Amino acid sequence: MRSQEDIESAMGKHADAVWRVCVLHFSERQDAQDAFQDAFLKYALADGAAFNDEEHRKAWLLRTASNACKDLWRASSRRAARQEAPERLETVAAADSAGQPGSFEREVVDAMRALDDPPRTPLYLSLYEGYTAPEIARLLEAPVNTVYTWIARGKAKLREQLR
């Protein structure tokens, strides 16, 4: 297991980025928190993983968070709970004063959530985290031209939804 200092350092530097990935995947705060915790738990337990630099560690955490979100989403117990009690949904954005209903930030988050994955993750990495298409291709283990296509399609769908 990684040292407490290492875990705290990673959380201090990359918690916001990991949280944003989780929020984009889930409309329920609880699910986003579960995925966030799962990503950092995997980091804590992956003491054999070596990182070239801080950017490599961030990329590993973002990919782990995205995969944790996908795993949680696929879990049948989560889908069953959503179908049984849709009236209990509490959106993450509603807890943020900037993301209140009717705000532009809320519309953008909702539009990003509505995208399939891909292009949601590559588009997020490009727009919000500043990664280039070749960097995203390495992160997602996909061809560079495919990443360019995902980003272009994602932007087009966002434009369409935000009109």
Side-chain angles (χ1 to χ4, degrees):
M1 189 162 153
R2 293 185 180 277
S3 69
Q4 181 176 348
E5 295 82 27
D6 184 11
I7 297 166
E8 288 175 358
S9 172
M11 289 188 80
K13 293 176 182 173
H14 307 298
D16 288 342
V18 171
W19 177 248
R20 286 190 300 266
V21 167
C22 297
V23 166
L24 283 176
H25 280 82
F26 295 108
S27 60
E28 293 184 44
R29 183 179 215 60
Q30 234 175 331
D31 291 338
Q33 288 172 337
D34 288 348
F36 178 86
Q37 290 173 0
D38 192 34
F40 278 103
L41 177 62
K42 288 178 182 176
Y43 176 78
L45 297 175
D47 59 345
F51 304 106
N52 300 334
D53 55 18
E54 200 58 41
E55 197 61 31
H56 185 211
R57 180 174 21 176
K58 178 182 178 183
W60 187 93
L61 283 165
L62 293 176
R63 181 167 186 165
T64 302
S66 181
N67 289 340
C69 291
K70 290 173 188 175
D71 291 345
L72 286 172
W73 183 255
R74 285 186 205 118
S76 62
S77 61
R78 296 241 181 239
R79 275 186 270 151
R82 278 190 188 84
Q83 291 171 354
E84 291 173 6
E87 67 279 356
R88 294 186 306 161
L89 292 179
E90 175 186 330
T91 63
V92 176
D96 181 8
S97 61
Q100 292 301 316
S103 75
F104 183 70
E105 291 87 359
R106 171 77 183 252
E107 290 177 41
V108 173
V109 169
D110 289 344
M112 284 290 288
R113 281 188 189 135
L115 294 174
D116 292 331
D117 196 21
R120 181 182 353 159
T121 299
L123 186 60
Y124 167 78
L125 291 172
S126 172
L127 296 177
Y128 294 102
E129 295 301 327
Y131 285 101
T132 64
E135 292 170 331
I136 295 168
R138 282 192 300 276
L139 277 171
L140 301 178
E141 297 175 359
V144 176
N145 288 335
T146 302
V147 172
Y148 280 120
T149 301
W150 287 337
I151 292 171
R153 286 181 185 163
K155 285 180 179 179
K157 287 182 181 180
L158 272 181
R159 246 183 259 114
E160 184 180 303
Q161 289 179 354
L162 293 174
R163 286 184 188 202

